Amino acid sequence: MSADLRPVPEHQQRVADLLAGRHPGGPSAWPSEQVALTAARGRVLAADVVAPEPLPAFDNSAMDGYAVRAADIAGASDASPAVLPVDGDVPAGAPVADLAPGRTLRIMTGAPLPRGADAVVEVEATDGGTDEVRVSAAREVGRYVRPAGSDVQVGATVLTAGALLGPAQIGVLAALGVDEVAVRRRPRVLVCSTGSELAEHPDPAAGQIRDANGALLAAAVEEAGGQAVRVLWSADDVDAFLGLLDEAVAGGDIDLVLTSGGVSAGAYEVVKDGLGPRGIEFAKVAMQPGMPQGSGTLPHPGGDVTVVCLPGNPVSALTSFEVFVRPALRAAVGHPHPARRVVRARLAGLDEPLTPMRGRRQLRRARLDRSAGTGAGAEPTVTPWGPPGSGFLGWFAGADALIDLPADGAPLAAGDLVDVWDLATG
């Protein structure tokens, strides 16, 4: 690796430290907010949740069958069934009924266990009678009864701070009557694309292109659990860029400014020229795509702002986001899985050996065949997807993985194992 190239892990740590440093004390110090449970999916819990009531809230039947006193059917068998009068039905949602000795009530799954009953006989162990029922098997006390609090006891900590709220977590909170939860606030991100070549209107003039970076980085921020509060565009004019940026962060409510473009070695590098004198550091990272990077803290009267500057090529910008920004955003709020899942997979579909780059770690777009790894000891297979260059956004749109090739390795052939970032998992 060239001495003037920064290792990828070093730059990852720098970006993570910058974001974490906005609220010293770790993820637990990140600001929280109350949100409706219906809006909490994918959020990180900011405080423990203590069960306000037991779950189930009352003793209930685990089966469709008959509520009985176990003593009334002791010794029942096919040869000598117990015969009990049926005093009615207890459907789910009914109030608690009373059961007299020597009698039964037909009961449905989830219905409250009648007072006096201590067991349930499943329909399959009876003749299904409605006026009287023949029970052909004994059942011990507590059989097919779900006692109150058998799942969650009142006062128990049902979820701890830092838990990621998915369907099961939201479900248990809903069952306990919790309709609002404290979650860590989503990082607020200002996305700014730069470049005079970007068209302000849907129909580009000759020599101009549409701004893909604003849309793709805003989408990437949202997918990572952040909030893209604004998407800006600036021409290659340092004063105009700085004026636009200063105005956007004046309110002090931005956690991260994410720029794209203007960080390389050309004649119109507006981000580097504008933010370098303000203390933002620019470096070359030993990675392809995405070598030119910038990062730092921007002093501002409205409050210092974390800034991460990405290359302008959309493929480089998105790859850089995956490597540096996404895990840092998620780690800052205490997401339990900040990094993409990495799997070992065997190379497939190669027309020629895959040769790692000299001095730079390469992230190659790919498609991962997860079905190939379902057998015992088997690995999934992965196929490079499209050319390796950084100008192929259409190919990236069809990829669902990144092959992580270390620098300076030996050429790889079909069947060789490689590390793969699975982009299809959260």
Side-chain angles (χ1 to χ4, degrees):
M1 182 185 302
S2 174
D4 64 346
L5 295 183
R6 175 179 291 169
V8 170
E10 183 180 327
H11 196 68
Q12 286 176 315
Q13 190 62 54
R14 175 175 170 79
V15 174
D17 289 346
L18 284 168
L19 266 170
R22 289 195 59 77
H23 301 285
S28 61
W30 193 271
S32 64
E33 60 183 357
Q34 293 287 127
V35 301
L37 188 62
T38 53
R41 185 188 65 81
R43 303 293 293 273
V44 176
L45 198 62
D48 294 352
V49 177
V50 175
E53 59 186 55
L55 186 66
F58 50 83
D59 296 349
N60 68 89
S61 176
M63 298 284 283
D64 291 335
Y66 296 83
V68 298
R69 296 170 185 261
D72 290 341
I73 59 170
S77 66
D78 288 332
S80 180
V83 180
L84 301 175
V86 179
D87 284 347
D89 291 345
V90 185
V96 179
D98 291 299
L99 178 65
R103 309 184 75 84
T104 187
L105 287 163
R106 195 164 63 154
I107 193 168
M108 311 306 157
T109 302
L113 192 71
R115 285 182 288 265
D118 56 19
V120 172
V121 180
E122 70 276 26
V123 172
E124 293 80 3
T126 73
D127 66 354
T130 55
D131 294 324
E132 67 174 19
V133 64
R134 299 168 70 85
V135 179
S136 57
R139 293 291 179 259
E140 69 276 12
V141 171
R143 187 67 175 272
Y144 297 128
V145 174
R146 292 187 290 221
S150 57
D151 187 5
V152 178
Q153 295 185 352
V154 63
T157 300
V158 63
L159 293 174
T160 57
L164 184 65
L165 297 177
Q169 293 74 29
I170 288 173
V172 72
L173 295 178
L176 289 166
V178 176
D179 57 10
E180 193 174 79
V181 289
V183 295
R184 292 181 185 142
R185 178 176 56 71
R186 296 164 65 194
R188 294 186 291 241
V189 182
L190 170 69
V191 176
C192 182
S193 301
T194 66
S196 295
E197 75 277 12
L198 302 179
E200 291 187 81
H201 306 289
D203 297 321
Q208 288 191 313
I209 60 174
R210 296 182 180 89
D211 176 21
N213 284 351
L216 75 84
L217 289 176
V221 165
E222 295 282 339
E223 189 271 340
Q227 180 183 8
V229 293
R230 292 186 67 185
V231 179
L232 304 177
W233 168 80
S234 172
D236 290 325
D237 181 293
V238 171
D239 291 338
F241 166 65
L242 293 177
L244 192 69
L245 187 59
D246 287 341
E247 180 183 358
V249 302
D253 61 345
I254 301 297
D255 295 302
L256 171 65
V257 171
L258 189 62
T259 72
S260 62
V263 298
S264 192
Y268 299 97
E269 305 301 339
V270 63
V271 174
K272 182 188 288 187
D273 294 343
L275 296 183
R278 291 195 177 189
I280 302 303
E281 178 196 68
F282 293 88
K284 294 180 179 179
V285 177
M287 184 177 87
Q288 193 279 328
M291 182 174 68
Q293 301 286 333
S295 58
T297 300
L298 181 67
H300 199 275
D304 293 353
V305 182
T306 299
V307 178
V308 174
C309 308
L310 307 180
N313 185 294
V315 170
S316 299
L318 186 53
T319 304
S320 299
F321 182 94
E322 282 288 337
V323 176
F324 304 117
V325 183
R326 185 181 191 272
L329 280 176
R330 289 157 77 92
V333 299
H335 194 291
H337 308 292
R340 291 285 190 187
R341 185 174 73 103
V342 177
V343 300
R344 292 286 281 173
R346 294 197 180 276
L347 283 169
L350 296 181
D351 295 326
E352 57 185 27
L354 201 60
T355 302
M357 295 188 71
R358 291 187 61 187
R360 285 199 281 170
R361 182 172 166 182
Q362 189 178 36
L363 290 150
R364 287 285 301 268
R365 297 171 295 283
R367 299 192 74 163
L368 183 63
D369 184 356
R370 298 158 187 83
S371 65
T374 57
E379 294 90 3
T381 60
V382 65
T383 302
W385 192 248
S390 58
F392 298 95
L393 185 57
W395 282 100
F396 206 152
D400 62 4
L402 293 171
I403 299 172
D404 192 346
L405 294 177
D408 304 318
L412 299 168
D416 286 343
L417 282 168
V418 290
D419 285 339
V420 178
W421 294 27
D422 186 352
L423 302 183
T425 60

